Coordinates of all heavy atoms in Angstrom, one line a residue:
M1 N 0.8 -1.2 0.0 CA 0.0 0.0 0.0 C 0.9 1.3 0.0 O 0.5 2.2 -0.6 CB -0.9 0.0 1.2 CG -2.1 -0.9 1.1 SD -3.2 -0.5 -0.3 CE -3.3 -2.0 -1.1
D2 N 2.0 1.2 0.7 CA 2.8 2.4 0.7 C 3.3 2.7 -0.7 O 3.4 3.9 -1.0 CB 4.0 2.1 1.7 CG 3.6 2.1 3.1 OD1 2.6 2.7 3.5 OD2 4.3 1.4 3.9
A3 N 3.7 1.7 -1.5 CA 4.1 2.0 -2.8 C 3.0 2.6 -3.7 O 3.3 3.6 -4.4 CB 4.7 0.7 -3.5
L4 N 1.8 2.1 -3.5 CA 0.7 2.7 -4.2 C 0.4 4.1 -3.8 O 0.1 5.0 -4.6 CB -0.6 1.9 -4.0 CG -0.6 0.5 -4.7 CD1 -1.8 -0.3 -4.2 CD2 -0.4 0.5 -6.2
A5 N 0.6 4.4 -2.5 CA 0.4 5.8 -2.0 C 1.5 6.7 -2.5 O 1.2 7.8 -2.9 CB 0.4 5.8 -0.5
E6 N 2.7 6.2 -2.6 CA 3.8 7.0 -3.1 C 3.6 7.4 -4.6 O 3.9 8.4 -5.1 CB 5.1 6.2 -3.0 CG 5.7 6.2 -1.6 CD 6.9 5.3 -1.5 OE1 7.6 5.1 -2.5 OE2 7.2 5.0 -0.3
D7 N 2.9 6.4 -5.3 CA 2.6 6.7 -6.8 C 1.3 7.5 -6.9 O 0.9 7.9 -8.0 CB 2.4 5.4 -7.5 CG 3.8 4.7 -7.7 OD1 4.8 5.3 -7.6 OD2 3.7 3.4 -8.0
G8 N 0.7 7.9 -5.8 CA -0.5 8.7 -5.9 C -1.8 7.9 -6.3 O -2.8 8.5 -6.6
L9 N -1.7 6.6 -6.2 CA -2.9 5.8 -6.6 C -3.9 5.6 -5.5 O -5.1 5.3 -5.8 CB -2.4 4.5 -7.2 CG -1.5 4.6 -8.4 CD1 -0.9 3.2 -8.8 CD2 -2.1 5.3 -9.6
V10 N -3.4 5.6 -4.3 CA -4.3 5.5 -3.1 C -3.9 6.5 -2.1 O -2.8 7.0 -2.1 CB -4.2 4.1 -2.5 CG1 -4.7 3.0 -3.4 CG2 -2.8 3.8 -1.9
A11 N -4.8 6.8 -1.2 CA -4.6 7.7 -0.1 C -4.7 6.9 1.2 O -5.7 6.0 1.3 CB -5.5 8.9 -0.1
L12 N -3.9 7.1 2.1 CA -3.9 6.3 3.4 C -4.4 7.3 4.5 O -4.0 8.4 4.5 CB -2.5 5.8 3.8 CG -1.9 4.9 2.7 CD1 -0.5 4.5 3.1 CD2 -2.8 3.6 2.5
K13 N -5.3 6.8 5.3 CA -5.9 7.6 6.4 C -5.9 6.8 7.7 O -6.0 5.6 7.7 CB -7.4 7.9 6.0 CG -8.1 8.7 7.0 CD -9.6 8.9 6.5 CE -10.4 9.6 7.5 NZ -11.8 9.7 7.1
A14 N -5.7 7.5 8.8 CA -5.7 6.8 10.1 C -7.1 6.1 10.3 O -8.1 6.6 9.9 CB -5.5 7.9 11.2
N15 N -7.0 5.0 10.8 CA -8.2 4.2 11.1 C -8.6 4.4 12.6 O -7.9 3.9 13.5 CB -8.0 2.7 10.8 CG -9.2 1.8 11.0 OD1 -10.2 2.3 11.5 ND2 -9.1 0.6 10.5
P16 N -9.7 5.1 12.8 CA -10.1 5.3 14.2 C -10.4 4.1 15.0 O -10.4 4.1 16.2 CB -11.3 6.3 14.1 CG -11.8 6.1 12.8 CD -10.6 5.6 11.9
E17 N -10.7 3.0 14.3 CA -11.1 1.8 15.0 C -9.9 0.8 15.2 O -10.1 -0.3 15.8 CB -12.2 1.1 14.2 CG -13.5 1.9 14.2 CD -14.7 1.3 13.5 OE1 -14.6 0.0 13.4 OE2 -15.6 2.0 13.1
H18 N -8.8 1.1 14.6 CA -7.7 0.2 14.7 C -6.4 1.0 14.7 O -6.1 1.8 13.7 CB -7.7 -0.8 13.6 CG -6.8 -2.0 13.8 ND1 -5.4 -1.9 13.6 CD2 -7.0 -3.2 14.3 CE1 -4.8 -3.1 13.9 NE2 -5.8 -3.9 14.3
Q19 N -5.6 0.9 15.7 CA -4.4 1.8 15.8 C -3.3 1.5 14.8 O -2.7 2.4 14.3 CB -3.8 1.6 17.2 CG -3.3 2.9 17.8 CD -2.9 2.6 19.3 OE1 -2.8 1.5 19.8 NE2 -2.6 3.7 20.0
R20 N -3.1 0.2 14.4 CA -2.0 -0.1 13.5 C -2.4 -0.1 12.0 O -1.5 0.1 11.2 CB -1.5 -1.5 13.9 CG -0.9 -1.4 15.3 CD -0.5 -2.8 15.8 NE 0.8 -3.1 15.4 CZ 1.4 -4.3 15.4 NH1 0.7 -5.3 15.8 NH2 2.6 -4.5 15.1
S21 N -3.6 -0.4 11.7 CA -4.0 -0.5 10.3 C -4.5 0.8 9.8 O -5.1 1.6 10.6 CB -5.0 -1.6 10.0 OG -6.2 -1.3 10.6
R22 N -4.4 1.1 8.5 CA -4.9 2.4 8.0 C -6.0 2.1 7.0 O -6.1 1.0 6.4 CB -3.8 3.2 7.3 CG -2.7 3.6 8.3 CD -1.6 4.3 7.6 NE -0.8 3.2 6.9 CZ 0.3 3.5 6.2 NH1 0.7 4.7 6.0 NH2 1.0 2.5 5.6
L23 N -6.9 3.1 6.8 CA -7.9 3.0 5.8 C -7.2 3.3 4.5 O -6.4 4.2 4.4 CB -9.1 3.9 6.1 CG -9.8 3.7 7.4 CD1 -10.9 4.8 7.6 CD2 -10.5 2.3 7.3
V24 N -7.7 2.7 3.4 CA -7.1 2.9 2.1 C -8.2 3.4 1.2 O -9.3 2.7 1.1 CB -6.4 1.6 1.5 CG1 -5.9 1.9 0.1 CG2 -5.4 1.1 2.5
A25 N -8.0 4.4 0.4 CA -9.0 4.9 -0.5 C -8.3 5.2 -1.9 O -7.1 5.7 -1.9 CB -9.6 6.2 0.0
V26 N -9.0 4.8 -2.9 CA -8.4 5.1 -4.3 C -8.5 6.5 -4.6 O -9.6 7.2 -4.4 CB -9.2 4.2 -5.3 CG1 -8.7 4.5 -6.7 CG2 -9.1 2.7 -5.0
T27 N -7.5 7.1 -5.1 CA -7.5 8.5 -5.5 C -8.0 8.7 -6.9 O -8.3 7.7 -7.6 CB -6.0 9.1 -5.5 OG1 -5.3 8.4 -6.5 CG2 -5.4 9.0 -4.1
R28 N -8.2 9.9 -7.4 CA -8.7 10.1 -8.7 C -7.7 9.5 -9.7 O -8.1 8.9 -10.7 CB -8.8 11.6 -9.0 CG -10.0 12.2 -8.4 CD -10.2 13.7 -8.8 NE -11.4 14.2 -8.1 CZ -11.3 15.2 -7.2 NH1 -10.1 15.8 -7.0 NH2 -12.4 15.6 -6.6
K29 N -6.4 9.7 -9.5 CA -5.4 9.1 -10.4 C -5.5 7.5 -10.3 O -5.4 6.9 -11.4 CB -4.0 9.5 -9.9 CG -2.9 8.9 -10.7 CD -1.5 9.4 -10.2 CE -0.4 8.8 -11.0 NZ 1.0 9.2 -10.5
G30 N -5.7 7.0 -9.2 CA -5.9 5.5 -9.0 C -7.1 5.0 -9.7 O -7.1 4.0 -10.4
R31 N -8.2 5.8 -9.6 CA -9.5 5.4 -10.2 C -9.3 5.5 -11.7 O -9.8 4.6 -12.4 CB -10.6 6.4 -9.8 CG -12.0 5.9 -10.3 CD -13.0 6.8 -9.7 NE -13.2 6.6 -8.3 CZ -14.1 7.1 -7.6 NH1 -15.1 7.8 -8.1 NH2 -14.2 6.9 -6.3
S32 N -8.6 6.5 -12.2 CA -8.4 6.6 -13.6 C -7.6 5.4 -14.2 O -7.9 4.8 -15.2 CB -7.6 7.9 -13.9 OG -7.5 8.1 -15.3
R33 N -6.6 5.0 -13.4 CA -5.8 3.8 -13.8 C -6.6 2.6 -13.8 O -6.5 1.8 -14.7 CB -4.6 3.7 -12.8 CG -3.7 2.5 -13.0 CD -2.6 2.7 -14.0 NE -1.8 3.9 -13.8 CZ -0.6 4.0 -13.1 NH1 -0.1 2.9 -12.6 NH2 0.0 5.1 -13.0
V34 N -7.5 2.4 -12.8 CA -8.4 1.2 -12.8 C -9.3 1.2 -13.9 O -9.5 0.2 -14.6 CB -9.1 1.2 -11.4 CG1 -10.2 0.1 -11.5 CG2 -8.2 0.9 -10.3
E35 N -9.9 2.4 -14.2 CA -10.8 2.5 -15.4 C -10.1 2.1 -16.7 O -10.7 1.5 -17.5 CB -11.4 3.9 -15.4 CG -12.4 4.2 -14.3 CD -12.8 5.6 -14.2 OE1 -12.3 6.5 -15.0 OE2 -13.7 5.9 -13.4
A36 N -8.9 2.6 -16.8 CA -8.2 2.2 -18.1 C -7.9 0.7 -18.1 O -8.1 0.1 -19.2 CB -6.8 3.0 -18.1
M37 N -7.6 0.1 -17.0 CA -7.4 -1.3 -16.9 C -8.6 -2.1 -17.2 O -8.7 -3.1 -18.0 CB -6.8 -1.7 -15.6 CG -5.4 -1.3 -15.3 SD -4.8 -1.5 -13.6 CE -5.4 -3.1 -13.1
V38 N -9.8 -1.6 -16.7 CA -11.0 -2.3 -16.9 C -11.5 -2.2 -18.3 O -11.9 -3.1 -18.9 CB -12.1 -1.7 -15.9 CG1 -13.5 -2.2 -16.3 CG2 -11.8 -2.1 -14.5
A39 N -11.3 -1.0 -18.9 CA -11.6 -0.8 -20.3 C -10.8 -1.8 -21.2 O -11.4 -2.4 -22.1 CB -11.3 0.6 -20.8
K40 N -9.6 -2.0 -20.9 CA -8.7 -3.0 -21.6 C -9.3 -4.4 -21.4 O -9.4 -5.2 -22.4 CB -7.3 -2.9 -21.2 CG -6.4 -3.8 -21.9 CD -4.9 -3.7 -21.5 CE -4.1 -4.7 -22.2 NZ -2.7 -4.6 -21.7
E41 N -9.6 -4.7 -20.2 CA -10.2 -6.0 -19.9 C -11.5 -6.3 -20.6 O -11.7 -7.4 -21.1 CB -10.3 -6.2 -18.4 CG -9.0 -6.3 -17.6 CD -8.2 -7.4 -18.0 OE1 -8.7 -8.5 -18.2 OE2 -6.9 -7.3 -18.0
V42 N -12.3 -5.2 -20.7 CA -13.6 -5.4 -21.3 C -13.4 -5.7 -22.8 O -14.0 -6.5 -23.4 CB -14.5 -4.1 -21.2 CG1 -15.7 -4.1 -22.1 CG2 -15.0 -4.0 -19.7
R43 N -12.4 -4.9 -23.4 CA -12.1 -5.2 -24.8 C -11.6 -6.6 -25.1 O -12.0 -7.3 -26.0 CB -11.1 -4.2 -25.4 CG -11.6 -2.8 -25.6 CD -10.6 -1.9 -26.3 NE -9.3 -1.8 -25.7 CZ -9.0 -0.9 -24.8 NH1 -9.9 0.0 -24.3 NH2 -7.8 -0.9 -24.2
L44 N -10.7 -7.1 -24.2 CA -10.2 -8.4 -24.3 C -11.3 -9.5 -24.0 O -11.4 -10.5 -24.7 CB -9.1 -8.6 -23.3 CG -7.8 -7.9 -23.5 CD1 -6.8 -8.0 -22.4 CD2 -7.2 -8.3 -24.8
L45 N -12.2 -9.2 -23.1 CA -13.3 -10.1 -22.8 C -14.2 -10.2 -24.0 O -14.6 -11.3 -24.4 CB -14.1 -9.6 -21.6 CG -15.4 -10.3 -21.2 CD1 -15.1 -11.8 -20.9 CD2 -16.1 -9.7 -20.1
E46 N -14.6 -9.0 -24.5 CA -15.5 -9.0 -25.7 C -14.9 -9.8 -26.9 O -15.5 -10.5 -27.6 CB -15.8 -7.6 -26.1 CG -16.8 -6.9 -25.1 CD -17.0 -5.4 -25.4 OE1 -16.2 -4.8 -26.2 OE2 -17.9 -4.9 -24.9
E47 N -13.6 -9.6 -27.1 CA -12.9 -10.3 -28.2 C -12.9 -11.8 -27.9 O -13.2 -12.6 -28.8 CB -11.4 -9.8 -28.3 CG -10.7 -10.5 -29.4 CD -11.2 -10.3 -30.8 OE1 -11.9 -9.3 -31.1 OE2 -11.0 -11.3 -31.6
G48 N -12.6 -12.2 -26.7 CA -12.7 -13.6 -26.3 C -14.0 -14.2 -26.5 O -14.2 -15.3 -27.0
L49 N -15.1 -13.4 -26.1 CA -16.4 -13.9 -26.2 C -16.8 -14.1 -27.7 O -17.5 -15.1 -28.1 CB -17.4 -13.0 -25.5 CG -17.3 -13.0 -23.9 CD1 -18.2 -11.9 -23.4 CD2 -17.8 -14.4 -23.4
R50 N -16.4 -13.1 -28.5 CA -16.7 -13.2 -29.9 C -16.0 -14.5 -30.5 O -16.7 -15.2 -31.3 CB -16.1 -12.0 -30.7 CG -17.2 -10.9 -30.9 CD -16.6 -9.8 -31.8 NE -16.8 -8.5 -31.1 CZ -15.8 -7.9 -30.5 NH1 -14.6 -8.3 -30.6 NH2 -16.1 -6.8 -29.9
R51 N -14.8 -14.7 -30.2 CA -14.1 -15.9 -30.7 C -14.7 -17.2 -30.2 O -14.6 -18.2 -30.8 CB -12.6 -15.8 -30.2 CG -11.8 -14.8 -31.0 CD -10.4 -14.8 -30.6 NE -9.6 -13.7 -31.2 CZ -8.3 -13.6 -31.1 NH1 -7.6 -14.4 -30.4 NH2 -7.7 -12.6 -31.8
S52 N -15.3 -17.1 -29.0 CA -15.9 -18.3 -28.4 C -17.3 -18.6 -29.0 O -17.9 -19.7 -28.7 CB -16.0 -18.2 -26.9 OG -17.1 -17.3 -26.6
G53 N -17.8 -17.7 -29.8 CA -19.1 -17.8 -30.3 C -20.2 -17.4 -29.4 O -21.4 -17.7 -29.6
A54 N -19.9 -16.6 -28.4 CA -20.9 -16.1 -27.5 C -21.9 -15.2 -28.2 O -21.5 -14.5 -29.1 CB -20.3 -15.4 -26.3
S55 N -23.1 -15.2 -27.7 CA -24.1 -14.3 -28.4 C -23.9 -12.9 -27.9 O -23.2 -12.6 -26.9 CB -25.5 -14.8 -28.0 OG -25.7 -14.5 -26.6
L56 N -24.5 -12.0 -28.7 CA -24.5 -10.6 -28.3 C -25.1 -10.4 -26.9 O -24.5 -9.6 -26.1 CB -25.3 -9.7 -29.3 CG -25.3 -8.2 -29.1 CD1 -23.9 -7.7 -29.1 CD2 -26.1 -7.6 -30.2
A57 N -26.1 -11.1 -26.6 CA -26.7 -11.0 -25.2 C -25.8 -11.4 -24.2 O -25.7 -10.8 -23.1 CB -28.0 -11.8 -25.2
E58 N -25.0 -12.5 -24.4 CA -24.0 -12.9 -23.4 C -22.9 -11.9 -23.3 O -22.4 -11.7 -22.1 CB -23.5 -14.3 -23.9 CG -24.5 -15.4 -23.7 CD -24.0 -16.7 -24.4 OE1 -23.4 -16.6 -25.5 OE2 -24.2 -17.8 -23.8
M59 N -22.5 -11.3 -24.4 CA -21.4 -10.3 -24.3 C -21.9 -9.1 -23.5 O -21.2 -8.5 -22.7 CB -21.0 -9.9 -25.7 CG -20.1 -10.9 -26.4 SD -19.4 -10.3 -27.9 CE -20.7 -10.7 -29.0
R60 N -23.2 -8.7 -23.8 CA -23.7 -7.5 -23.0 C -23.9 -7.8 -21.5 O -23.6 -7.0 -20.7 CB -25.1 -7.1 -23.6 CG -24.9 -6.4 -24.9 CD -26.3 -6.0 -25.5 NE -26.1 -5.2 -26.7 CZ -27.0 -5.1 -27.7 NH1 -28.2 -5.7 -27.5 NH2 -26.8 -4.4 -28.7
A61 N -24.3 -9.1 -21.2 CA -24.4 -9.5 -19.8 C -23.1 -9.4 -19.1 O -23.0 -8.9 -18.0 CB -25.0 -10.9 -19.7
A62 N -22.0 -9.9 -19.8 CA -20.7 -9.9 -19.2 C -20.2 -8.4 -19.0 O -19.7 -8.1 -17.9 CB -19.7 -10.6 -20.1
T63 N -20.4 -7.6 -19.9 CA -20.1 -6.2 -19.8 C -20.8 -5.5 -18.7 O -20.3 -4.7 -17.9 CB -20.3 -5.5 -21.2 OG1 -19.5 -6.1 -22.2 CG2 -19.8 -4.0 -21.1
T64 N -22.1 -5.8 -18.6 CA -23.0 -5.2 -17.6 C -22.5 -5.6 -16.2 O -22.4 -4.8 -15.3 CB -24.5 -5.6 -17.8 OG1 -24.9 -5.1 -19.0 CG2 -25.3 -5.1 -16.7
L65 N -22.1 -6.9 -16.1 CA -21.6 -7.3 -14.8 C -20.3 -6.6 -14.4 O -20.2 -6.2 -13.2 CB -21.3 -8.8 -14.8 CG -20.9 -9.5 -13.5 CD1 -21.9 -9.3 -12.4 CD2 -20.6 -11.0 -13.8
I66 N -19.4 -6.4 -15.3 CA -18.2 -5.6 -15.0 C -18.5 -4.2 -14.6 O -18.0 -3.7 -13.6 CB -17.3 -5.7 -16.2 CG1 -16.7 -7.1 -16.4 CG2 -16.1 -4.7 -16.0 CD1 -15.9 -7.3 -17.7
Q67 N -19.5 -3.6 -15.3 CA -19.9 -2.2 -15.0 C -20.5 -2.1 -13.6 O -20.3 -1.2 -12.8 CB -20.8 -1.7 -16.0 CG -20.1 -1.4 -17.3 CD -21.1 -1.1 -18.5 OE1 -22.3 -1.5 -18.4 NE2 -20.6 -0.4 -19.5
K68 N -21.3 -3.1 -13.2 CA -21.8 -3.2 -11.8 C -20.7 -3.3 -10.8 O -20.8 -2.7 -9.7 CB -22.8 -4.3 -11.7 CG -24.1 -4.1 -12.4 CD -25.1 -5.2 -12.2 CE -26.4 -5.0 -12.9 NZ -27.4 -6.1 -12.7
F69 N -19.8 -4.1 -11.1 CA -18.6 -4.3 -10.2 C -17.9 -3.0 -10.0 O -17.5 -2.6 -8.9 CB -17.7 -5.4 -10.8 CG -16.5 -5.6 -9.9 CD1 -16.6 -6.2 -8.7 CD2 -15.2 -5.3 -10.4 CE1 -15.5 -6.4 -7.9 CE2 -14.1 -5.5 -9.6 CZ -14.2 -6.1 -8.4
I70 N -17.7 -2.2 -11.1 CA -17.0 -0.9 -11.0 C -17.9 0.0 -10.1 O -17.3 0.8 -9.3 CB -16.8 -0.3 -12.4 CG1 -15.8 -1.2 -13.1 CG2 -16.4 1.1 -12.3 CD1 -15.7 -0.8 -14.6
G71 N -19.2 0.0 -10.3 CA -20.1 0.8 -9.5 C -19.9 0.5 -8.0 O -19.9 1.4 -7.1
V72 N -19.8 -0.8 -7.6 CA -19.7 -1.2 -6.2 C -18.3 -0.6 -5.7 O -18.3 -0.1 -4.6 CB -19.7 -2.7 -6.1 CG1 -19.3 -3.1 -4.7 CG2 -21.1 -3.2 -6.4
I73 N -17.3 -0.8 -6.5 CA -16.0 -0.2 -6.1 C -16.1 1.3 -5.9 O -15.5 1.8 -4.9 CB -14.9 -0.6 -7.1 CG1 -14.6 -2.1 -7.1 CG2 -13.6 0.2 -6.9 CD1 -13.7 -2.6 -8.2
D74 N -16.7 2.0 -6.8 CA -16.9 3.4 -6.7 C -17.6 3.8 -5.4 O -17.2 4.8 -4.7 CB -17.6 4.0 -7.9 CG -16.7 4.1 -9.2 OD1 -15.5 4.0 -9.1 OD2 -17.3 4.3 -10.3
T75 N -18.7 3.1 -5.1 CA -19.4 3.4 -3.9 C -18.6 3.2 -2.7 O -18.6 4.1 -1.8 CB -20.7 2.5 -3.9 OG1 -21.5 2.8 -5.0 CG2 -21.5 2.8 -2.6
L76 N -17.9 2.1 -2.6 CA -17.1 1.8 -1.4 C -16.0 2.8 -1.3 O -15.6 3.3 -0.2 CB -16.5 0.4 -1.5 CG -17.5 -0.7 -1.4 CD1 -16.9 -2.1 -1.7 CD2 -18.2 -0.7 0.0
T77 N -15.4 3.2 -2.4 CA -14.3 4.2 -2.4 C -14.8 5.5 -2.0 O -14.2 6.2 -1.2 CB -13.7 4.3 -3.8 OG1 -13.1 3.0 -4.2 CG2 -12.6 5.3 -3.9
D78 N -16.0 5.9 -2.5 CA -16.6 7.2 -2.0 C -16.8 7.2 -0.5 O -16.6 8.2 0.1 CB -17.9 7.5 -2.8 CG -17.6 7.8 -4.3 OD1 -16.5 8.1 -4.6 OD2 -18.6 7.7 -5.0
E79 N -17.3 6.1 0.0 CA -17.5 6.0 1.5 C -16.2 6.2 2.2 O -16.1 6.9 3.2 CB -18.2 4.7 1.8 CG -19.6 4.6 1.3 CD -20.2 3.2 1.5 OE1 -19.6 2.3 2.1 OE2 -21.4 3.0 1.1
I80 N -15.2 5.5 1.8 CA -13.9 5.6 2.4 C -13.2 6.9 2.3 O -12.6 7.5 3.2 CB -12.9 4.5 1.9 CG1 -13.4 3.1 2.4 CG2 -11.5 4.7 2.4 CD1 -12.7 1.9 1.7
N81 N -13.4 7.5 1.1 CA -12.8 8.8 0.8 C -13.4 10.0 1.6 O -12.8 11.1 1.5 CB -13.0 9.2 -0.7 CG -11.9 8.6 -1.6 OD1 -10.8 8.3 -1.1 ND2 -12.1 8.4 -2.8
S82 N -14.4 9.8 2.3 CA -15.0 10.9 3.1 C -13.9 11.4 4.0 O -13.4 10.7 4.9 CB -16.2 10.4 3.9 OG -17.2 10.0 3.1
G83 N -13.4 12.6 3.8 CA -12.4 13.2 4.6 C -11.0 12.9 4.2 O -10.0 13.4 4.7
V84 N -10.8 12.1 3.1 CA -9.5 11.8 2.6 C -9.2 12.7 1.4 O -10.0 12.8 0.5 CB -9.3 10.3 2.2 CG1 -8.0 10.0 1.5 CG2 -9.6 9.4 3.3
S85 N -8.0 13.4 1.4 CA -7.7 14.3 0.3 C -7.4 13.5 -0.9 O -6.8 12.5 -0.9 CB -6.4 15.1 0.7 OG -6.0 15.8 -0.4
Q86 N -7.9 14.0 -2.1 CA -7.7 13.3 -3.4 C -6.7 14.1 -4.1 O -6.4 14.1 -5.2 CB -9.0 13.2 -4.1 CG -9.9 12.2 -3.4 CD -11.2 11.9 -4.2 OE1 -11.2 12.2 -5.4 NE2 -12.2 11.4 -3.6

């Protein structure tokens, strides 16, 4: 985590419920990096699904699932980011 924080990808915050562990929040730079990685993964997934003979509906379902996963990460990150400088 320290290396990610040094690269500006996450922010570390004191954890009021635990003296030794810190809360970790994804920064805007980190979120941008994750979005770029996910976009690449979606392209690879779509290509793989096309090659496998998956239907358009199956490809859309896979893409929708990934987008939902990103939404969950965004929500959790926003909750953690309360009070953390981005």
Side-chain angles (χ1 to χ4, degrees):
M1 284 299 128
D2 290 333
L4 293 173
E6 287 175 17
D7 289 344
L9 302 175
V10 298
L12 303 175
K13 178 182 175 184
N15 184 347
E17 296 184 20
H18 195 280
Q19 220 173 8
R20 297 173 86 193
S21 67
R22 295 176 285 180
L23 298 175
V24 179
V26 178
T27 62
R28 286 187 182 115
K29 180 179 177 181
R31 186 177 292 190
S32 183
R33 178 85 51 96
V34 169
E35 288 171 355
M37 290 169 44
V38 169
K40 180 179 179 182
E41 293 296 323
V42 167
R43 286 191 304 273
L44 292 172
L45 174 64
E46 288 173 345
E47 179 62 27
L49 289 170
R50 266 190 234 102
R51 289 181 183 187
S52 75
S55 70
L56 181 59
E58 290 170 320
M59 287 189 274
R60 285 183 178 155
T63 301
T64 298
L65 182 59
I66 291 171
Q67 290 169 337
K68 286 182 181 182
F69 179 68
I70 293 168
V72 169
I73 291 173
D74 285 344
T75 299
L76 293 172
T77 298
D78 290 344
E79 290 172 5
I80 293 171
N81 273 337
S82 297
V84 175
S85 173
Q86 294 186 15

